[in-house]
Amino acid sequence: MTPPAMCYYSKLQGSGGKCRTCLVEVSKGSEKDPRPMPKLVASCRTTVMDGMEVKNITSEKVVDARKGVVEFLLLNHPLDCPVCDQAGECDLQNLSYEHGTEGTRYEFKRRTFEKEDIGPYISLHMTRCIMCFRCVFTADQLTQKREHGILERGDHATISTMLNKSLENEFIGNVIDVCPVGALTDKTFRFKNRVWFTKPVDAHRDCPTCNGKVRLWMRGEEVFRVTARKDQWGEVEDWICNDCRFHKKETKDWVIEGPSLIRRSSVISQGHYAGNVGTAPTPILIDKVIGKKPKLTLDIHTVSDVNRPDVHLSEIEGPAHSDDFKKNK
Ligand code: SF4
Ligand code: FES
């Protein structure tokens, strides 16, 4: 099981070391020097050594520290998931469910920012930003010149409005895909649909600017959104250009390859009952490590006898009904 990461992005040079969500305990430094590291360390910024032993969720200290990090990240983050376009694919939402606590001890007013118009395609909702720097690195490394960055410090830190200049770059749309929260969203998709109602499909086209391999988010025949494909770590596989992302919104623009593989645990896999959508690699079982099965993957038949164990939900076409579980079926 990999530690969660909110700022590290393997494809962006210099990323990592900002959010502290990836803290781990190094219980043995290396074969040469087996002393444990005195403090928890950010795994994205720690060099692996021969013989190093690292504790992730098996360490109480790590679990406790992560709760604190989530609480910090949520200090200023609005709880507007019901109206946020990122809901359902938000790293912070997932992190809070998996590692957070139910409440906060924060009593002050959350910081807020005035809305800024940064062009026709990308919406910046600074109030939701967690200052991970990913968008800054993306613009810096994918575009010809750096046009935006973080201004001010501490509570006043903000993504600069110069972003609207770099919007002219044909790869700038990728900042939407790297943003772990709903601070940068696609204006052409905004408020049009909830992501779990759409069906992700892999498709490609012959694009003169990028390699044209994308993911279409469809409902029926309609293409609601185009994004880059993401790998098992939730990172973009190949950067895509603005033309593919914002202007090719018809099925005739694309050669459809087939349904995208979506993690079983993701809310996006809900509603996909047949075919291979929703199948995902079995999570790496931690039962060998902690000696019991993780709660997240428990088999419903071991705790409930409501459904017949020989009826597999994944094989039922469409939503399940009581008829599907009748004895004589
Ligand atoms: S806008 Fe998004 S990607 Fe950019 S720093 Fe804020 S959270 Fe990170
Ligand atoms: S992912 Fe390591 S510090 Fe943010």
Side-chain angles (χ1 to χ4, degrees):
M1 188 171 191
T2 44
M6 297 294 289
C7 67
Y8 177 72
Y9 213 81
S10 66
K11 292 167 185 81
L12 297 173
Q13 266 176 21
S15 67
K18 319 278 186 304
C19 69
R20 321 306 285 179
T21 43
C22 65
L23 288 176
V24 289
E25 181 183 339
V26 178
S27 49
K28 179 180 167 191
S30 67
E31 214 56 77
K32 246 183 171 177
D33 181 359
R35 284 177 302 166
M37 290 195 183
K39 290 183 187 168
L40 301 183
V41 293
S43 52
C44 71
R45 282 297 177 115
T46 305
T47 312
V48 175
M49 309 286 281
D50 271 346
M52 184 186 247
E53 282 173 18
V54 179
K55 287 183 175 175
N56 183 15
I57 53 166
T58 48
S59 158
E60 267 179 39
K61 280 192 230 163
V62 168
V63 173
D64 194 45
R66 244 174 236 165
K67 279 191 185 137
V69 172
V70 176
E71 197 176 357
F72 262 119
L73 287 174
L74 289 174
L75 283 188
N76 284 306
H77 194 85
L79 299 179
D80 60 351
C81 307
V83 295
C84 177
D85 270 311
Q86 191 86 354
E89 51 184 0
C90 174
D91 292 344
L92 186 55
Q93 203 176 32
N94 297 339
L95 186 76
S96 322
Y97 275 114
E98 283 161 22
H99 300 279
T101 50
E102 306 81 45
T104 176
R105 289 164 291 174
Y106 194 63
E107 291 173 352
F108 304 99
K109 225 177 141 191
R110 287 188 159 89
R111 73 176 190 163
T112 49
F113 292 87
E114 291 296 320
K115 275 223 171 102
E116 259 177 59
D117 184 16
I118 58 162
Y121 301 125
I122 304 175
S123 150
L124 170 64
H125 201 321
M126 200 45 228
T127 310
R128 295 180 187 146
C129 174
I130 57 156
M131 288 292 160
C132 72
F133 279 66
R134 280 184 187 173
C135 63
V136 179
F137 287 124
T138 306
D140 200 13
Q141 289 163 32
L142 291 191
T143 65
Q144 298 308 314
K145 49 186 174 175
R146 181 172 163 167
E147 306 264 20
H148 88 288
I150 294 182
L151 295 183
E152 312 286 359
R153 289 185 176 210
D155 237 18
H156 298 287
T158 170
I159 298 293
S160 109
T161 54
M162 295 294 274
L163 184 59
N164 55 6
K165 285 199 182 161
S166 59
L167 272 177
E168 280 150 32
N169 187 281
E170 55 202 359
F171 278 89
I172 195 65
N174 289 293
V175 295
I176 298 169
D177 286 341
V178 301
C179 185
V181 294
L184 292 166
T185 49
D186 181 345
K187 270 194 183 170
T188 64
F189 178 63
R190 219 161 134 73
F191 304 130
K192 291 226 173 106
N193 222 308
R194 304 307 283 171
V195 69
W196 53 89
F197 291 142
T198 60
K199 208 162 197 157
V201 173
D202 286 355
H204 66 266
R205 69 182 267 266
D206 200 7
C207 175
T209 318
C210 66
N211 76 3
K213 288 186 181 165
V214 302
R215 185 155 292 164
L216 307 180
W217 298 80
M218 304 180 65
R219 202 156 174 188
E221 283 299 294
E222 205 174 335
V223 178
F224 274 84
R225 181 173 71 147
V226 182
T227 65
R229 297 183 195 176
K230 290 196 174 171
D231 61 18
Q232 58 171 323
W233 313 112
E235 288 189 3
V236 167
E237 282 176 12
D238 289 297
W239 307 112
I240 62 167
C241 68
N242 285 0
D243 200 30
C244 285
R245 185 186 297 273
F246 300 122
H247 300 136
K248 303 293 171 193
K249 294 284 183 91
E250 288 186 43
T251 32
K252 67 174 168 41
D253 297 324
W254 299 98
V255 179
I256 308 276
E257 292 170 24
S260 313
L261 289 179
I262 298 293
R263 261 179 196 283
R264 202 42 152 170
S265 56
S266 164
V267 69
I268 302 171
S269 75
Q270 307 309 305
H272 301 294
Y273 298 96
N276 63 353
V277 173
T279 55
T282 322
I284 301 163
L285 285 185
I286 47 173
D287 52 344
K288 289 201 175 51
V289 186
I290 57 173
K292 59 181 179 188
K293 287 201 171 177
K295 274 194 211 150
L296 285 174
T297 56
L298 58 80
D299 177 355
I300 193 161
H301 300 302
T302 61
V303 290
S304 156
D305 52 8
V306 174
N307 297 336
R308 283 168 45 193
D310 54 318
V311 178
H312 297 287
L313 285 174
S314 59
E315 288 168 9
I316 298 172
E317 290 279 342
H321 296 286
S322 53
D323 281 357
D324 294 311
F325 299 97
K326 285 209 172 126
K327 284 275 181 236
N328 53 1
K329 235 195 143 194

